[in-house]
């Protein structure tokens, strides 16, 4: 319970950050499911905009803090940072609990 809303809100915030802070042509959302977890990856192909240059360092903005807190609240983890090939990536791993009959 709650993992579905957590996943939705993390994707929503990650895409909002792309719009606000990256001069991106595209953003990509990938969902991968395992037996007991799901992994969400949001990437963009942008570069930092002028407003992002004056923003806090990656990992210290309120949006990233909020996403990290959401992931932790359901037992998950979140990583975010610049990609070597350019752009930015947010990856979160959230637990999936088996449905009880």
């Amino acid at each position: 319970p709650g993992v579905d809303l957590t996943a939705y809100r993390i994707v929503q915030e990650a895409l909002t950050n792309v719009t606000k802070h990256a001069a991106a042509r595209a953003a990509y959302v990938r969902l991968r499911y395992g037996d007991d977890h799901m992994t969400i990856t949001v990437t963009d192909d942008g570069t930092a905009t002028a407003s992002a240059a004056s923003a806090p360092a990656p990992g210290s903005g309120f949006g990233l803090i909020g996403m990290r807190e959401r992931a932790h609240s359901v037992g998950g983890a979140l990583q975010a940072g610049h990609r070597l090939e350019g752009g930015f990536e947010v990856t979160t791993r959230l637990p999936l609990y088996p449905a009880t009959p």
Side-chain angles (χ1 to χ4, degrees):
V3 173
D4 53 349
L5 180 59
T6 298
Y8 173 83
R9 293 302 304 263
I10 288 172
V11 170
Q12 182 182 38
E13 181 63 28
L15 291 174
T16 297
N17 286 349
V18 171
T19 303
K20 286 183 174 182
H21 303 296
R25 290 187 320 262
Y28 306 92
V29 178
R30 182 177 63 211
L31 305 174
R32 290 185 300 172
Y33 292 90
D35 291 335
D36 61 353
H37 71 278
M38 73 178 298
T39 303
I40 302 167
T41 305
V42 179
T43 58
D44 69 63
D45 61 359
T47 58
T49 61
S51 63
S54 61
S60 62
F62 292 121
L64 293 175
I65 290 170
M67 287 188 284
R68 191 167 283 117
E69 287 175 353
R70 283 185 186 279
H72 288 164
S73 74
V74 296
L78 184 131
Q79 296 179 331
H82 295 283
R83 300 181 326 143
L84 291 176
E85 60 273 19
F88 199 81
E89 179 173 285
V90 174
T91 301
T92 187
R93 182 180 166 116
L94 302 174
L96 296 176
Y97 301 104
T100 55

